[in-house]
Amino acid sequence: MKTALSGALFVAALYTSTVWATPETDAFAYLNTLRSNAGMSTLASGSILDTASEAHSSYMQVNNVFGHFETPGDTGFTGVQASDRAVAAGYSSRGISENVAAGQQTAMESVDGLMSAIYHRFGFLNEEIDTIGIGFVLGGSGFFSTYNMANLGITALCSGPSATGAGTFIVGGCADTAKKILVGDYDAALAAIANANPDVILWPQANAVDIPPAFFEESPDPLPDFSVSGNPISLQFNKHKVTTAGLTSIALFEDLTNTQIASARLRLLDVNTDPNSKFSDHQFALFPLDRLEWNTRYRVEAAIVKDGVPSNLNWTFTTRSLGIPTFAIAGSADLIEVESGTEIAVYVRPQASQPLLGGVGFTFSDGSFVPQLSFIDGNTVKITYSDPTIGNQATFTAGNYSFIVRIRAAIAAADGDLAPPGNLDGIVSLADALVALRYALGLITPVTQDILNHGDVAPPGSPDGLMKIADALIILRVALGLTSL
């Protein structure tokens, strides 16, 4: 028997999120958490901007279109561009920036996808905004979502009287396009917010966790020759605090092994190399041309210059753990043995000839027990195979790749048995000691409480509920035959 799974490929990974009242409040809280994690001020919710955002999401859903512009005469039309739609909803300022997304299943997927898309990330991490409106409308393949952002100080200026007397004015920035704002007042409104934000905004920020490992597509596309790459590392210099900004060098390492990612597999975008001329001279982004690994800690080493003064920035971040055993495959006939009913993730490494999965087909031993599949992202699928017969197997094909999931007998894991992760072998070896050390150093996280229980062996006889270097050393002694558990 053969079947296939295909469908939309989402721009973010699977995760568990807090349940909020609506996707709008979920996205609002999550985005503010990300800004706060980056050391930035949080955004206020704007009800009029909510209305404008909801209207545009509805327009996209009803007309089955996606983008920042609306066409007069179409169903649900409220304004050609974001500023027009905000004014139509009753907003006093035309100073609106906008992010839009489509096809995501949750609010967090929407935000994560936009945060991995560099131009949209810069919008969310803009140091001059302090308010946002959000609108989600459910379509056939997921949510249409719209985010309208603004500066409340400028909004207040637009709500007040027109400036008079001598001076230099901003004209055309308010709902009343004839209204004048003194340039000094306008700049002060922006600076008041920007000065509360860092000199340099890093993403992923120092010690970040749960970072999606991949970037897929964006319009306009910063990497037009790649369908999938790693989530970019960005540095934004706050132009209200830093007059001249420079990035002298930047390198990326897999932190555990201290392995430097080859410069040939990295691409730096700045004001001179951005193919779409969207970057300012205060914005830089390093793109890994290969997507990052799941549940892995990376280190960034950068040399920067702020107003002529050089300094170094070194920080680490950790990519998302899926919370279930995860297997990476890179060839054909890879074998994965699991207990019946175990939920696993299979990551199919992108190839130049096959950057995305597109669809997964499978054959299996017993037609009564069909493997259950769903996409996590464009290169990763979640599989549950609940066949009770030991030795039965399903063969999966995905373009040039194939792999086998075989049902094995349950193994009573011994204390210290941690490897292979998600596929324990019933013995304690050097591989288990290495996995324990990775857990202890925070380079990977236990995906189940059971794994934590088997790795927590210190102090001997009275485990403390933690997995530390002391636990790894005991497991190493067991593997070498120097002691027993």
Side-chain angles (χ1 to χ4, degrees), residues 18 78 110 113 150 153 162 166 232 293 314 317 346 350 362 382 385 403 441 461 474:
T18 303
T78 56
S110 172
S162 184
E293 299 294 320
N314 298 330
F317 66 90
V346 178
F362 55 84
K382 181 171 63 175
Y385 189 23
F403 58 95
L441 294 175
I474 289 176

Side-chain angles (χ1 to χ4, degrees), residues 172-237:
C174 300
D176 177 359
T177 56
K179 182 168 288 188
K180 297 187 291 184
I181 298 174
L182 281 167
V183 168
D185 291 343
Y186 185 92
D187 291 343
L190 296 177
I193 302 306
N195 286 334
N197 286 308
D199 292 6
V200 184
I201 301 161
L202 306 177
W203 194 265
Q205 81 278 8
N207 303 314
V209 296
D210 200 38
I211 299 300
F215 160 64
F216 290 96
E217 299 285 354
E218 181 176 16
S219 179
D221 196 342
L223 293 183
D225 48 336
F226 285 83
S227 296
V228 58
S229 62
N231 204 336
I233 296 96
S234 62
L235 298 88
Q236 296 168 252
F237 292 81

Side-chain angles (χ1 to χ4, degrees), residues 54-65 69-72 74-78 137:
E54 186 85 11
H56 186 55
S57 293
S58 179
Y59 172 89
M60 291 190 289
Q61 187 268 337
V62 167
N63 294 286
N64 194 30
V65 296
F69 298 98
E70 295 184 7
T71 302
D74 282 354
T75 302
F77 172 83
T78 56
V137 173

